[in-house]
Amino acid sequence: MLAGIVVLSMIALGLLVLYRNGTFGYSHPRADILSSRGAVFIRVNLSRPVHVKAGQYINLWICMPSQRFRSLFESHPFVVVSWSDRAVYELDLLIEPRSGFTRDLLRVSKTKVEPYRALFSGPHGNSIPLGNYEVVFMIASGYGIAAQLPYLKQLIHGYNSRKARSRRVHLVWELKTLDLAAATEWVLDNALDEDTLDNGYLKLTEN
């Protein structure tokens, strides 16, 4: 009986993935791959809207002909840095290029402008209800800021709409250089665009 439940769950999950990727009469998702100062940004344009909670991630597959044959069948998990209180047609990802697939992403971001065909599963993972706390202290190092940005945007939105108890949010971001901060300035501004009380847009300077 347990085996039957597992099989049915896998079938249901497979059908959900097919549905969200536009298999039934819709076009497949597309991925725009960009880079700035060594950081890779991907915007996944979906065929159907998806609601992603803060802190959740997706498994992403991108068809890049230049990849090794084996990697064409691999999916990779990435935290969604964008956030909305409703289902959306676009998901933003911030990626640190290292080796293998992420290094390929950095390379193709400099050579091709047209979007790539993509598939995804998710969203996966749990979301921590930070809005239940009056004071929130967040710490990030380097590309770890990707996991904090959706929570930051959610907390600001919750404060403005009076859906969260949070009244004070502290974010400490450790960086070795300002290159990553400059590259992600538009992502940070997007996370702070509802913080009208404190004019939360960041202006970066380098000494």
Side-chain angles (χ1 to χ4, degrees):
M1 182 176 179
L2 179 60
I5 295 176
V6 172
V7 171
L8 289 175
S9 298
M10 293 180 63
I11 293 175
L13 179 60
L15 290 174
L16 180 60
V17 170
L18 292 175
Y19 173 80
R20 286 181 170 171
N21 283 280
T23 303
F24 305 115
Y26 286 76
S27 60
H28 289 287
R30 300 282 176 171
D32 292 304
I33 306 174
L34 305 171
S35 63
S36 175
R37 301 197 182 197
V40 174
F41 305 94
I42 295 181
R43 171 160 289 178
V44 184
N45 299 286
L46 308 176
S47 55
R48 290 185 173 90
V50 173
H51 182 218
V52 180
K53 298 179 181 179
Q56 290 190 310
Y57 68 94
I58 61 172
N59 287 321
L60 183 66
W61 172 88
I62 299 178
C63 180
M64 294 188 297
S66 58
Q67 287 182 275
R68 294 168 298 175
F69 179 78
R70 179 181 177 183
S71 63
L72 292 175
F73 301 94
E74 296 176 350
S75 63
H76 302 266
F78 297 112
V79 174
V80 179
V81 300
S82 52
W83 178 86
S84 176
D85 61 340
R86 59 185 182 276
V88 295
Y89 281 94
E90 295 178 344
L91 302 178
D92 292 332
L93 312 174
L94 169 62
I95 299 169
E96 177 183 11
R98 290 187 175 181
S99 60
F101 179 71
T102 55
R103 183 175 57 190
D104 289 340
L105 291 175
L106 178 61
R107 178 173 49 80
V108 300
S109 70
K110 301 176 180 179
T111 59
K112 184 177 179 180
V113 179
E114 297 179 2
Y116 289 89
R117 176 174 290 188
L119 296 173
F120 79 100
S121 68
H124 304 288
N126 298 320
S127 181
I128 302 173
L130 296 184
N132 293 340
Y133 303 93
E134 292 187 2
V135 179
V136 178
F137 188 73
M138 310 166 73
I139 301 177
S141 175
Y143 282 85
I145 192 67
Q148 306 288 15
L149 289 176
Y151 282 111
L152 181 61
K153 189 173 181 66
Q154 182 188 50
L155 286 169
I156 294 173
H157 175 80
Y159 174 82
N160 291 335
S161 61
R162 299 184 179 181
K163 295 180 180 179
R165 295 178 55 195
S166 304
R167 293 295 177 266
R168 183 172 297 179
V169 178
H170 300 275
L171 173 60
V172 178
W173 186 15
E174 181 185 24
L175 290 166
K176 293 182 179 179
T177 69
L178 285 178
D179 285 343
L180 179 58
T184 59
E185 184 175 4
W186 68 273
V187 184
L188 294 167
D189 284 346
N190 179 263
L192 296 170
D193 62 0
E194 291 189 60
D195 190 16
T196 55
L197 182 62
D198 297 321
N199 295 321
Y201 286 85
L202 297 182
K203 301 300 180 184
L204 301 176
T205 59
E206 187 169 4
N207 296 326

